[in-house]
Amino acid sequence: MNYYQQNNVSVSSSIQVSFLSVIYVNIVEDSNVHKLISRLTVAQKEFRKCIDWKQPCHEVKSKALELSSILEAIMDSSKELPYEKRKEFCEKVVESACVVIEQYKDALSIEGFSEAIVDELFDYTQKFYEQNFGLSINDDFWFRLQCYEWCLKEGFVNRPNNNYSNQGLEYKYTFSEEQLEKFFSDNRKQLIKIMLENNDAYHRVTLNSPLLNEDTNQSFGLYNRISKVEVA
């Protein structure tokens, strides 16, 4: 199926495809993307069998390289999807790569299994993430998040009106108390100015978390996902 067919099929021909814990939706049946995900599933099963059956290291490495190659091909094929479906698809691809990287890290206990295999897929995944999601996780984002969390910690802003408050859960801070205090110490003048400029009639600071933006929240979630699988 070529690019035109991928983007001009009827909705009824779109299907849901699973890869381990990752669910791809709106995939065109028998498209190039569909075939690649199917190949990915087979390659992952063969990789796991090599480990479970204690096959020689060269067999495990061969299956890992095949698995990585398919994942990279899926990343490259993201341009085949229509723009409005691409971001959701790219999110699933990053999640798939992280799952595979975690399995590679388990395989590092096998004598001769190279850390370079893990690093190569991680680097490709990180580059893919930066191309599709990285623009919103910039210096301005980090400043705004620290500013918000410091004000929240000090009680200057109301508790976030999101799923945490709706479910009675505590807000999960990204930064530690020590990090936020250092942030205040380093940016005291700017922070005070922001607080003075964003007061309401009740003398509360009217700042919102940048994570309330859906796209930014998605990008930040993937940023954290990738950070968890980064090889030290």
Side-chain angles (χ1 to χ4, degrees), residues 19-20 39-51 57 59-73 75 95-125 225 228-231:
F19 172 69
L20 297 176
R39 285 178 57 200
L40 182 70
T41 301
V42 173
Q44 186 277 332
K45 288 179 180 177
E46 290 179 349
F47 172 74
R48 287 306 312 177
K49 282 181 181 178
C50 279
I51 295 176
C57 183
E59 290 285 348
V60 179
K61 289 168 69 174
S62 175
K63 293 300 180 183
L65 292 173
E66 180 185 0
L67 190 51
S68 291
S69 295
I70 298 170
L71 266 171
E72 291 172 9
M75 293 181 201
E95 290 177 359
S96 298
C98 288
V99 170
V100 171
I101 290 169
E102 287 169 340
Q103 295 193 355
Y104 285 176
K105 290 170 73 174
D106 290 341
L108 288 173
S109 60
I110 300 172
E111 185 176 355
F113 189 85
S114 175
E115 202 168 280
I117 295 175
V118 190
D119 291 339
E120 184 176 354
L121 180 57
F122 177 85
D123 290 344
Y124 208 96
T125 303
R225 183 72 179 97
K228 286 181 180 177
V229 299
E230 184 172 6
V231 180

Side-chain angles (χ1 to χ4, degrees), residues 71-231:
L71 266 171
E72 291 172 9
I74 292 174
M75 293 181 201
D76 295 341
S77 72
S78 63
K79 300 179 183 65
E80 296 176 17
L81 275 80
Y83 179 79
E84 65 273 11
K85 296 180 181 179
R86 197 174 301 164
K87 199 157 191 178
E88 181 182 22
F89 175 78
C90 291
E91 178 184 21
K92 301 302 181 182
V93 176
V94 171
E95 290 177 359
S96 298
C98 288
V99 170
V100 171
I101 290 169
E102 287 169 340
Q103 295 193 355
Y104 285 176
K105 290 170 73 174
D106 290 341
L108 288 173
S109 60
I110 300 172
E111 185 176 355
F113 189 85
S114 175
E115 202 168 280
I117 295 175
V118 190
D119 291 339
E120 184 176 354
L121 180 57
F122 177 85
D123 290 344
Y124 208 96
T125 303
Q126 191 170 46
K127 182 179 178 182
F128 180 76
Y129 165 81
E130 290 293 337
Q131 291 171 342
N132 291 280
F133 302 97
L135 288 178
S136 58
I137 308 302
N138 52 26
D139 289 344
D140 179 65
F141 164 79
W142 291 116
F143 182 89
R144 290 170 58 212
L145 184 59
Q146 289 178 91
C147 182
Y148 173 78
E149 291 198 347
W150 184 84
C151 289
L152 180 64
K153 178 179 74 73
E154 296 297 323
F156 293 129
V157 297
N158 292 323
R159 286 284 163 179
N161 183 23
N162 57 16
N163 288 338
Y164 285 100
S165 57
N166 291 341
Q167 297 175 16
L169 301 175
E170 286 293 322
Y171 176 83
K172 186 176 181 180
Y173 285 86
T174 300
F175 299 96
S176 67
E177 186 169 348
E178 292 76 16
Q179 288 173 319
L180 293 174
E181 284 305 311
K182 185 178 186 309
F183 170 74
F184 175 71
S185 178
D186 292 344
N187 301 275
R188 186 186 306 268
K189 281 187 178 180
Q190 190 173 358
L191 208 56
I192 291 174
K193 181 181 178 183
I194 289 171
M195 292 170 65
L196 290 174
E197 291 176 347
N198 292 275
N199 264 290
D200 62 17
Y202 302 98
H203 304 294
R204 304 286 293 178
V205 179
T206 56
L207 289 179
N208 288 321
S209 169
L211 296 177
L212 288 180
N213 179 279
E214 187 175 346
D215 287 341
T216 302
N217 192 44
Q218 178 191 42
S219 298
F220 185 60
L222 289 176
Y223 171 89
N224 287 329
R225 183 72 179 97
I226 293 173
S227 297
K228 286 181 180 177
V229 299
E230 184 172 6
V231 180

